[in-house]
């Protein structure tokens, strides 16, 4: 029996096409439905709509009234002929994420059907291997859950008074950290505009990393100015070191230099400050920032492990990048003297020979801890122990 759709007094120019469209979904291509209505001119409207959608249209009489017979088209119809499929929204589904995202997919959500003729929007980072990590979605969820409000979780009113020389040391270290966090913000922000939206999990994770770094800059600056100080010294060598990160065009190499080596080293520095900072606010700020930075390191590691599994020879490019950066910075002095001295003073706690000696030893232990951490991460990426040790030693003395 022919299924009948009664559009009553509703015209196709007022939404009746939805009733017809959904009625056709209930029959296979090649089968018919009947349509009846009472709106003046509905038959002509339906005929025109059927032509635009690729359906056949005919009119017959049944029980004294006009019945339009609509036969569903055999193929994808109308405006969706030639439409493009873009994978699957769930990245765990096999084949969900394309090896190369197409420019003609534009800004469409992954898994959407994109109408033919949509404009091509070119994104430089459109290769899955160059940007992807299966862990990105989970790391994003962790990042969302771990966001913190500086006003709520830091006791800015905690009472403390430091000797001027110690407060100056805190300000110098934080000045140094702010410019490093600026680099850690700008690098993922730069890649965000180059990343195809098809890789939305990576896009979301980079965006929240940018937010993390902006918050770190805010809290470091707020602590720096807590006692009325202005930022201290910024050196040419430090700026030159960071510029090499901003100039690197390859996403994977930047993740390696910035996240795996640089931010990984910074995690050690933040733990050091949490342990040895002379006031409760600096200790709180360091602890919270270290938690965020560890997550950034985790993404860099997971992305590179994924790429190296598919392209083992890329390991050579990573090693060459460390050597090239070391060569480019050979004329700089590395960590500036003011920051190094400030770290010793913070670890010492006071300006006495015995305390300074202990502070110096603690900073040397920090350097060894940083090197050991870099070496461990390099070995996890598949570098041999000797090579990992050599590459760790080549990493910039400016930490980041």
């Amino acid at each position: 029996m022919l299924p009948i759709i009664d559009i009553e007094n509703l015209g196709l120019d007022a939404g009746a096409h939805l009733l017809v469209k959904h009625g056709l979904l209930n029959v296979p291509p090649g089968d018919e439905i009947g349509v009846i209505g009472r709106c003046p001119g509905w038959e002509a409207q339906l005929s025109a709509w059927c032509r635009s959608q690729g359906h056949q249209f005919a009119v017959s009489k049944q029980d004294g009234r006009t019945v339009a017979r609509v036969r569903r088209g055999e193929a994808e119809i109308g405006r969706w002929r030639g439409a493009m499929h873009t994978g699957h929204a769930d990245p765990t589904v096999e084949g969900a994420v394309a090896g190369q995202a197409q420019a003609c997919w534009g800004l469409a959500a992954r898994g959407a059907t994109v109408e033919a003729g949509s404009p091509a929007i070119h994104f430089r980072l459109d290769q899955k291997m160059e940007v992807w990590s299966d862990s990105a979605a989970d790391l994003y969820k962790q990042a969302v859950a771990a966001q913190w409000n500086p006003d709520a979780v830091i006791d800015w009113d905690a009472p403390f008074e430091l000797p001027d020389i110690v407060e100056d040391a805190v300000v110098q270290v934080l000045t140094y950290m702010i410019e490093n966090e600026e680099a850690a913000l700008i690098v993922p922000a730069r890649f965000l505009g180059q990343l195809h939206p098809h890789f939305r999990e990576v896009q979301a994770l980079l965006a929240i990393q940018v937010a993390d770094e902006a918050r770190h800059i805010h809290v470091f600056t707020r602590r720096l100015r807590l006692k009325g100080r202005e930022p201290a010294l910024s050196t040419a060598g430090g700026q030159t070191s960071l510029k090499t990160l901003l100039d690197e065009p390859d996403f994977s190499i930047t993740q390696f230099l910035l996240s795996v080596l640089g931010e990984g080293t910074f995690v050690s520095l933040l733990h050091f400050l949490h342990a040895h900072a002379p006031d409760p606010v600096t200790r709180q700020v360091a602890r919270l920032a270290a938690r965020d930075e560890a997550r950034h390191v985790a993404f860099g590691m997971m992305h590179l492990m994924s790429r190296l599994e598919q392209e083992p020879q890329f390991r050579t490019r990573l090693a060459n990048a460390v050597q090239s950066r070391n060569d480019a910075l050979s004329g700089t002095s590395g960590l500036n003297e003011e920051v190094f001295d400030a770290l010793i003073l913070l670890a010492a706690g006071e300006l006495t020979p015995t305390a300074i000696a202990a502070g110096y030893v603690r900073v040397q232990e920090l350097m060894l801890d940083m090197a050991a951490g870099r070496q461990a991460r390099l070995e996890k990426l598949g570098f041999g122990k000797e090579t990992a040790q050599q590459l760790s030693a080549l990493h910039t003395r400016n930490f980041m």
Side-chain angles (χ1 to χ4, degrees):
M1 183 176 178
L2 186 70
I4 298 294
I5 303 296
D6 189 351
I7 63 174
E8 301 179 357
N9 288 316
L10 189 64
L12 269 82
D13 57 351
H17 69 285
L18 289 173
L19 301 174
V20 179
K21 180 184 289 187
H22 284 274
L24 286 167
L25 292 176
N26 294 321
V27 299
D31 279 13
E32 295 182 343
I33 63 170
V35 181
I36 58 175
R38 294 187 293 278
C39 177
W42 69 269
E43 301 98 324
Q45 292 177 342
L46 180 58
S47 175
W49 181 84
C50 287
R51 284 196 304 274
S52 72
Q53 299 294 310
H55 305 303
Q56 294 183 27
F57 172 87
V59 174
S60 64
K61 292 292 185 179
Q62 184 174 321
D63 298 329
R65 65 181 305 177
T66 299
V67 176
R69 303 177 71 92
V70 179
R71 177 172 295 171
R72 183 176 174 183
E74 294 285 345
E76 290 184 300
I77 52 177
R79 63 187 298 190
W80 298 109
R81 185 176 291 110
M84 296 163 285
H85 299 289
T86 61
H88 197 286
D90 182 353
T92 65
V93 174
E94 185 177 357
V97 183
Q100 180 175 13
Q102 301 301 310
C104 52
W105 296 349
L107 304 175
R110 191 178 64 237
T113 301
V114 179
E115 183 179 4
S118 294
I121 303 177
H122 295 277
F123 294 92
R124 187 176 71 84
L125 298 175
D126 60 3
Q127 302 284 336
K128 178 181 179 181
M129 185 171 63
E130 294 181 351
V131 299
W132 187 252
S133 169
D134 289 336
S135 67
D138 288 338
L139 287 171
Y140 175 72
K141 291 177 185 176
Q142 293 174 28
V144 170
Q147 294 301 290
W148 44 278
N149 178 357
D151 291 327
V153 298
I154 297 173
D155 185 6
W156 296 103
D157 296 323
F160 70 88
E161 290 296 333
L162 303 177
D164 283 345
I165 191 171
V166 176
E167 180 67 21
D168 288 344
V170 172
V171 168
Q172 179 60 71
V173 171
L174 291 175
T175 300
Y176 159 80
M177 296 185 72
I178 288 167
E179 67 184 33
N180 281 269
E181 295 289 57
E182 284 286 2
L185 181 155
I186 291 168
V187 169
R190 174 166 57 90
F191 285 123
L192 263 174
Q194 303 173 5
L195 180 65
H196 198 296
H198 184 75
F199 309 112
R200 62 178 178 81
E201 290 81 3
V202 176
Q203 182 186 56
L205 187 58
L206 292 180
I208 210 162
Q209 285 186 8
V210 170
D212 287 342
E213 304 298 4
R215 185 172 57 248
H216 297 172
I217 293 166
H218 165 71
V219 296
F220 292 160
T221 304
R222 186 169 173 180
R223 166 59 189 94
L224 181 155
R225 303 197 68 250
L226 201 57
K227 300 297 181 179
R229 299 292 209 280
E230 285 295 307
L233 300 172
S234 172
T235 66
Q239 299 262 12
T240 302
S241 176
L242 296 175
K243 184 177 182 297
T244 61
L245 297 175
L246 272 59
D247 290 344
E248 174 55 55
D250 187 278
F251 180 82
S252 296
I253 291 176
T254 302
Q255 285 295 312
F256 180 61
L257 297 176
L258 172 65
S259 299
V260 174
L261 297 179
E263 289 182 301
T265 298
F266 243 58
V267 171
S268 295
L269 176 59
L270 289 164
H271 287 318
F272 177 86
L273 290 177
H274 178 239
H276 298 295
D279 65 272
V281 177
T282 304
R283 288 195 294 272
Q284 292 173 52
V285 165
R287 176 180 60 84
L288 291 163
R291 189 175 67 185
D292 293 338
E293 297 294 353
R295 193 172 55 250
H296 304 171
V297 176
F299 171 66
M301 288 292 295
M302 297 304 292
H303 162 65
L304 287 165
M305 290 168 69
S306 174
R307 178 157 190 175
L308 290 169
E309 184 179 357
Q310 302 171 71
E311 189 183 1
Q313 65 273 23
F314 191 72
R315 202 170 280 109
T316 301
R317 287 187 59 190
L318 297 179
N320 290 340
V322 177
Q323 182 66 64
S324 296
R325 189 180 186 211
N326 180 267
D327 293 344
L329 297 175
S330 61
T332 65
S333 59
L335 185 67
N336 72 66
E337 179 182 336
E338 290 76 18
V339 174
F340 184 76
D341 291 350
L343 290 173
I344 293 173
L345 186 54
L346 293 185
E350 60 182 5
L351 196 62
T352 66
T354 302
I356 292 298
Y360 185 86
V361 169
R362 288 170 185 148
V363 172
Q364 294 303 310
E365 291 171 346
L366 168 64
M367 304 291 192
L368 292 174
D369 178 67
M370 289 175 167
R374 289 193 299 270
Q375 182 175 338
R377 290 189 294 277
L378 288 163
E379 289 183 29
K380 191 171 183 179
L381 291 176
F383 291 98
K385 184 174 182 178
E386 183 177 344
T387 301
Q389 189 174 21
Q390 292 171 350
L391 292 175
S392 175
L394 288 174
H395 180 65
T396 172
R397 291 166 291 171
N398 197 50
F399 298 164
M400 184 70 87

